[in-house]
Amino acid sequence: MKHCLNTGTLERMLFVAQLTVILVLSASAVLSQHATRDNNAEAGSCHVSAVCSSNNSISNVNIPLQSSESNVELEQIHNVVLRLHRRLNETIRHENRKRRQQDAMLAVLKSHLRIVEVSVKRIERTLSLDHYRSTLGDYNRGWYDGGNGYEYNIRWDYIALSYDDARASCENMGAKIATVGVRQQQTFNALKKLFRKLSLYTYIGLTDRENEGVWVWDDGRLAKHYWTNWVASEPNDSQDNEYRGEDCAFITGRKPYQWNDNPCYHPAHVLCERATTRQ
């Protein structure tokens, strides 16, 4: 079984090894000093004995070997500790290299994970759109039931070049440019599901082309008698355009999808309306 030591454990072991080396060296120095003093004392005694001896011989002097043997043992211990110290250092360096490699690998994995998360979000949006389409009933034919007796459609693949072009495109689909559902606040809020964040506006059936300032729905009803959803300070009939006026109403291309007046020759999508075909 392999035992994995973390860097903190290895560093503690290294500290213990270093402390052991210091203690061994200190003990070695102390013992060496004592051994030196003992040897000097023994040598002095032998010298005196030799001088008093009749044959001037020191062959009978008994010099102890204990201090010399202790130095050898201490040196062996010292070498073992040094080897342990080097091994611990090598192990720590190896663990540090492995940790750096793991950190680099983790950074790569995080990068790949972000890519996967983006892909998953795209798939979720696609699945959500498919679910959204499946819950709109007759969405495959482009129509959404407004719950007010009418169905609604925005052809995102078609851009009308004028208000009259927008009206004609709805008529070609067997419908009319939207009026009823747009002036009903509850229905209009439900229709926001159909809108998208686009730079283009969406035509609705509301103009003041016949009488400036008097906004009339395409079915002939006056707008002042119904709920409206104009952007603040609109309609303003700005003259700062080549058509010198803004006589047609649009749904803006961004939330909260309010109304604005623009020239009637402004490229835009169109919201169509027809009596519901559902039973």
Side-chain angles (χ1 to χ4, degrees), residues 76-88:
Q76 292 175 347
I77 294 174
H78 177 257
N79 292 333
V80 170
V81 173
L82 288 179
R83 286 196 297 271
L84 177 61
H85 182 270
R86 286 193 294 269
R87 183 174 299 178
L88 287 174

Side-chain angles (χ1 to χ4, degrees), residues 30 34 39-40 42 48 56 59 69 80 104 115 182 187 189 230 245 263 265 268-270 277:
V30 171
H34 284 291
N39 290 335
N40 291 335
E42 292 291 341
V48 172
N56 293 327
S59 60
E69 293 173 354
V80 170
I115 296 173
V182 182
T187 303
N189 288 334
W230 294 106
Y265 293 91
H269 297 290
V270 55
T277 59

Side-chain angles (χ1 to χ4, degrees), residues 91-220:
T91 304
I92 290 175
R93 286 194 294 270
H94 174 72
E95 291 295 327
N96 287 337
R97 285 195 300 269
K98 187 164 65 175
R99 186 175 59 182
R100 287 193 294 270
Q101 292 172 354
Q102 291 174 346
D103 290 342
M105 181 64 67
L106 182 60
V108 173
L109 291 176
K110 286 182 178 179
S111 176
H112 288 303
L113 180 60
R114 284 193 292 269
I115 296 173
V116 171
E117 287 176 346
V118 172
S119 300
V120 168
K121 288 181 180 179
R122 289 177 180 173
I123 294 173
E124 287 177 347
R125 284 196 296 268
T126 302
L127 294 176
S128 177
L129 179 59
D130 290 340
H131 174 72
Y132 166 69
R133 288 175 174 174
S134 66
T135 59
L136 292 183
D138 200 16
Y139 188 91
N140 289 333
R141 292 191 292 115
W143 294 94
Y144 170 70
D145 188 353
N148 62 341
Y150 291 87
E151 297 174 331
Y152 297 87
N153 171 273
I154 298 178
R155 286 183 54 189
W156 295 111
D157 60 340
Y158 173 79
I159 297 177
L161 299 180
S162 68
Y163 179 81
D164 293 329
D165 187 20
R167 289 182 65 195
S169 69
C170 290
E171 291 173 356
N172 291 336
M173 298 171 65
K176 294 183 178 180
I177 191 169
T179 58
V180 178
V182 182
R183 62 185 180 228
Q184 296 172 342
Q185 184 176 5
Q186 183 176 356
T187 303
F188 182 79
N189 288 334
L191 293 176
K192 289 181 180 180
K193 298 177 183 179
L194 300 177
F195 304 148
R196 298 179 182 176
K197 290 182 179 180
L198 294 177
S199 58
L200 293 177
Y201 289 175
T202 301
Y203 276 111
I204 56 176
L206 181 63
T207 72
D208 68 343
R209 291 195 296 184
E210 298 297 326
N211 188 359
E212 180 60 41
V214 180
W215 289 88
V216 181
W217 290 102
D218 196 62
D219 59 6

Side-chain angles (χ1 to χ4, degrees), residues 248-261:
C248 290
F250 296 77
I251 300 171
T252 60
R254 55 188 175 275
K255 292 181 179 180
Y257 304 117
Q258 292 180 279
W259 307 347
N260 189 15
D261 60 335

